[in-house]
Amino acid sequence: MRKLRVVLAVTFVSLFGAAMASAQPSISYSEQKKVWLLQAGEQSYAFGVNERGELQSLIWGGKVRDLADIRPAKSLPERASFDLSTTTTPQEYPGWGAGLFTEPAIKATFEGGNRDLVLHYVSQQVDGDELRITLKDILVPLFVELHYRVYPGEGIIARWSVIQNKMDKPVMLESAAAAAWSLPRGTGYEAHWLTGRWAGEWQQQSAALGPGSIVIESRRGSTSHQANPWFEVDRTNETTETSGPAWFGELGWSGSWRITLETTSFEQTRITGGFNPFDFGYKLAPGESLTTPIFYAGYTNKGRGEASRIFHRFQQSAIFPGGDRARLRPVLYNSWEATEFNVDEPGQIALAEKAASLGAERFVIDDGWFGQRKTDNAGLGDWYVNPQKFPHGLKPVIDRVHTLGMDFGIWVEPEMVNPDSDLYRKHPDWAMNFPGRPRTEGRNQLLLNLARKDVSDYVFNWLDKLVTENDIAFLKWDYNRNWSEPGWDAVPVDEQKEIYVKYVQNLYDILARLRAKHPKLEIESCSGGGGRVDLGILRYTDEVWPSDNTDALDRLVLQDGFVRAYSPGAMMAWVTDVPNFLDRRVIPLKFRFLVAMNGSLGIGGNLNHWTEAEMSESRAMVAYYKSIRQTVQRGAFYRLMSPVDNSASATEHVAQDGSQAVIFAFLQAQRFGSPFPTVRLRGLQPDALYRIKSIDDKLESAPEVLSGDFLMHHGVNFNLVGDYDSSSIVLERQP
Ligand code: DGJ
């Protein structure tokens, strides 16, 4: 009989994840073996203390039924004399020291010059679904608390670390990861990640993992368009969209970050992520501590699509403000593409009237309403209402928007300043800079150094005043450049690099305080499109603007990438004018609407130019969206046919309670007269009956009611022809 003493067992079944939760405790521990087992949905995760006292990674993958199945941790042997045991043994949080040649989780320089840091296990503490493990350097009181928060219902484990200096001297941290995750040993892994640029975010990349590292990162001070802190790793010959193992994770941090997917010479793949060590330096004074970003991860054996769905559900219930109780995203109108900076009272009211007639529920004035803002040359920093454009302030527009039955939102870019602004003339020292060096402008603007308390207080105060004095329901919070000259001369030289951490902490603090003081306020995170989308900012913002690219053909591909990592409900998607401003492409209105309906629907065209026929078609489209938005924003997303490198594509959203499913079919370009492929559905109840309703006459004749079984095996057929043809059907489950 196996002997096991479980000294601790905690079970938690969250309200919304009850169906997924197992009867197993979320955290269990064997004192005898010094092994911990964490259970989150389909995912099991285990580690233990080895004979040297290091915390060693043991298991990450599918369900382990019993802690008794897991062997105690035992370090791996040295290989020849070149790879020491510290390098061959996968640690949960390795310090750089004792001959570690793999990616360290933490690197430090101590007073006196020592740079050797070796962390050993000290103690553990469990609080509900959270486990805290304390590690300490073998010689000096530098402590690291490893936090593991288990979301049993959602299938996610969140990890972060708190580094504590209990010495009587300061220590300089040169890198600090949130966590390192170790995959089962072996070859045959494939990594997937997301890259991009302005107007071309969310491009899906894949590569086989072999000895060496794939590094995805931002050195730009914010999350970036360049790469998103999401990864998925699966088995090259085994994993598909619908089956096979997938390990996945996201870093919740809106500053410079790095994720290293490293395969060692001994076929051990490890994924380490946290603050970007590039230009990093954080001086911990005696008694001080540093908390890293949170690294969330999960596992499924049901393929890449399920990996995304697990994250979507988790974000909806545990990350987004308000969780499952949050209101659904309203249909929004935004005037940016219509008017750019030329906003004024009569023009905005005229657009608001037209937007309301379409069924819009929120009206947003974009850039141009403040200071001396006529182009992007001037005005950022001067957040008073421009008296020429709005001689009576914002009130007349807001009142009209309200009488039209919509709420009101406004664009802000609080972290920036134009040199041509009163704010800059008064406080040139508030802009990020290295004194005496040139200040490189991007879009004619500089960054305010939010790490400074006076600057972050100023930003909070004017935002608070704006929202208090005006009936504002929504802020579109923009951020239109990345960092240059990240100097902070108000603090001693050896603290100046802390700007990378303190800036982001203060940003989060401003957002948190604003939301606490104005609980009904909703916020969109925008950064020239999708430059700041991550699970850090999404704890404080209700939605994101994924791209300035509003061309519906490109959007299909961008959205396909976006929903790999993020819930469709968080994705604002506008229908805009044609020819599209970016590529002059002309796409039918229906196709543009159906593409945008895969997220939170918005309208961004110049309604003054829309014909009565277009207005009437749009009215019907908005009404259709309202009948399916709960399913799109909160349901389960299925990628039926990916638009990437395909001329035909299809998506499906299934309501959380299974009562409704919505299918969108797109024929981007018909080739050789090929008929549109049969669309086989997923995620339905096999034995339930569904009534099918089409928005048009494109569905090939079929019985009105079909079983889930039939729809999943034999599918439906659309008669889509030519270029940019599209359709949508709704399935209502019959009682
Ligand atoms: C960039 C955003 O992504 C756009 O939607 C728009 O708000 C402009 N900034 C305004 O300057």
Side-chain angles (χ1 to χ4, degrees), residues 86-307:
T86 32
T87 272
T88 59
T89 305
Q91 289 184 54
E92 282 290 280
Y93 199 83
W96 187 75
L100 183 85
F101 300 122
T102 51
E103 185 69 21
I106 177 170
K107 184 175 183 314
T109 296
F110 295 84
E111 284 265 303
N114 169 44
R115 302 195 306 281
D116 182 59
L117 172 57
V118 179
L119 294 167
H120 280 186
Y121 173 75
V122 175
S123 62
Q124 63 137 0
Q125 196 179 329
V126 175
D127 183 7
D129 287 319
E130 197 174 315
L131 166 65
R132 201 167 72 210
I133 301 278
T134 303
L135 308 178
K136 181 190 154 292
D137 176 65
I138 46 174
L139 295 180
V140 297
L142 184 79
F143 288 82
V144 180
E145 272 181 3
L146 304 184
H147 291 250
Y148 298 80
R149 165 94 201 265
V150 183
Y151 293 85
E154 290 83 357
I156 294 291
I157 296 173
R159 290 179 58 188
W160 68 98
S161 305
V162 181
I163 301 144
Q164 299 170 328
N165 179 7
K166 296 192 181 167
M167 302 176 291
D168 54 10
K169 294 190 174 74
V171 58
M172 182 61 82
L173 302 179
E174 284 148 21
S175 79
W181 308 86
S182 295
L183 287 155
R185 274 206 307 270
T187 56
Y189 287 107
E190 178 145 333
H192 307 273
W193 68 102
L194 296 163
T195 63
R197 56 173 190 264
W198 177 80
E201 302 88 336
W202 313 110
Q203 315 267 344
Q204 300 177 52
Q205 311 297 339
S206 301
L209 283 169
S213 296
I214 292 176
V215 175
I216 52 173
E217 63 172 344
S218 164
R219 298 178 175 191
R220 295 164 180 259
S222 68
T223 325
S224 92
H225 303 73
Q226 181 191 339
N228 193 266
W230 167 88
F231 75 86
E232 192 232 299
V233 173
D234 53 36
R235 305 286 304 157
T236 310
N237 296 319
E238 202 182 338
T239 311
T240 67
E241 181 69 19
T242 52
S243 66
W247 296 258
F248 50 93
E250 292 185 24
L251 201 55
W253 185 242
S254 311
S256 288
W257 58 273
R258 190 172 86 176
I259 296 175
T260 304
L261 300 108
E262 171 191 32
T263 303
T264 69
S265 324
F266 305 104
E267 293 157 4
Q268 173 67 68
T269 293
R270 288 169 59 72
I271 299 155
T272 307
F275 296 124
N276 195 327
F278 178 82
D279 201 32
F280 187 83
Y282 199 101
K283 184 178 163 191
L284 274 188
E288 275 185 357
S289 64
L290 172 66
T291 301
T292 71
I294 305 176
F295 206 167
Y296 303 90
Y299 168 84
T300 179
N301 199 26
K302 300 195 187 89
R304 302 194 61 204
E306 183 68 7

Side-chain angles (χ1 to χ4, degrees), residues 374-611:
K374 295 186 189 71
T375 64
D376 58 22
N377 278 319
L380 285 175
D382 300 340
W383 297 101
Y384 60 86
V385 180
N386 180 289
Q388 282 81 43
K389 298 178 180 184
F390 298 92
H392 317 101
L394 294 172
K395 193 164 185 316
V397 183
I398 297 180
D399 287 350
R400 185 71 188 118
V401 164
H402 287 163
T403 57
L404 289 165
M406 299 183 288
D407 68 21
F408 178 78
I410 199 159
W411 180 95
V412 291
E413 193 174 5
E415 298 150 84
M416 301 287 171
V417 64
N418 286 118
D420 185 1
S421 68
D422 296 340
L423 184 73
Y424 187 76
R425 283 181 280 274
K426 198 165 162 205
H427 294 291
D429 53 321
W430 282 10
M432 244 179 230
N433 73 95
F434 290 119
R437 307 276 311 168
R439 302 171 177 203
T440 310
E441 292 173 23
R443 207 195 193 203
N444 307 304
Q445 62 198 56
L446 298 170
L447 271 133
L448 289 173
N449 181 358
L450 227 60
R452 289 174 62 129
K453 185 155 180 345
D454 50 358
V455 175
S456 64
D457 282 348
Y458 168 81
V459 168
F460 171 79
N461 287 334
W462 75 255
L463 281 166
D464 178 36
K465 187 162 178 285
L466 178 74
V467 179
T468 305
E469 290 177 356
N470 299 282
D471 197 344
I472 291 174
F474 173 79
L475 292 177
K476 175 176 170 180
W477 184 303
D478 209 342
Y479 176 89
N480 278 301
R481 62 161 296 180
N482 295 131
W483 293 16
S484 60
E485 299 97 19
W488 181 11
D489 66 324
V491 297
V493 172
D494 58 359
E495 291 172 27
Q496 291 185 6
K497 289 180 180 173
E498 291 172 23
I499 191 170
Y500 287 103
V501 176
K502 293 200 166 142
Y503 181 103
V504 181
Q505 287 173 340
N506 285 349
L507 169 67
Y508 290 160
D509 184 59
I510 294 169
L511 288 163
R513 283 162 69 199
L514 263 185
R515 294 198 75 111
K517 196 149 173 222
H518 306 278
K520 291 205 174 120
L521 181 69
E522 294 182 350
I523 304 176
E524 176 180 283
S525 172
C526 170
S527 170
R532 193 156 61 190
V533 180
D534 59 78
L535 294 189
I537 204 85
L538 274 164
R539 283 181 296 168
Y540 307 100
T541 55
D542 306 83
E543 63 189 44
V544 298
W545 179 232
S547 181
D548 277 348
N549 187 339
T550 54
D551 169 73
L553 181 66
D554 284 351
R555 272 274 171 162
L556 269 182
V557 174
L558 302 183
Q559 293 182 178
D560 190 70
F562 180 95
V563 298
R564 281 277 170 217
Y566 301 99
S567 163
M571 177 179 70
M572 177 45 62
W574 301 347
V575 175
T576 56
D577 289 335
V578 290
N580 184 268
F581 83 95
L582 192 64
D583 53 23
R584 313 308 297 160
R585 195 175 279 128
V586 177
I587 291 183
L589 187 62
K590 179 184 173 191
F591 191 100
R592 283 179 271 149
F593 258 104
L594 294 185
V595 170
M597 281 190 211
N598 278 276
S600 284
L601 180 65
I603 298 167
N606 190 341
L607 300 180
N608 296 320
H609 300 156
W610 288 22
T611 64

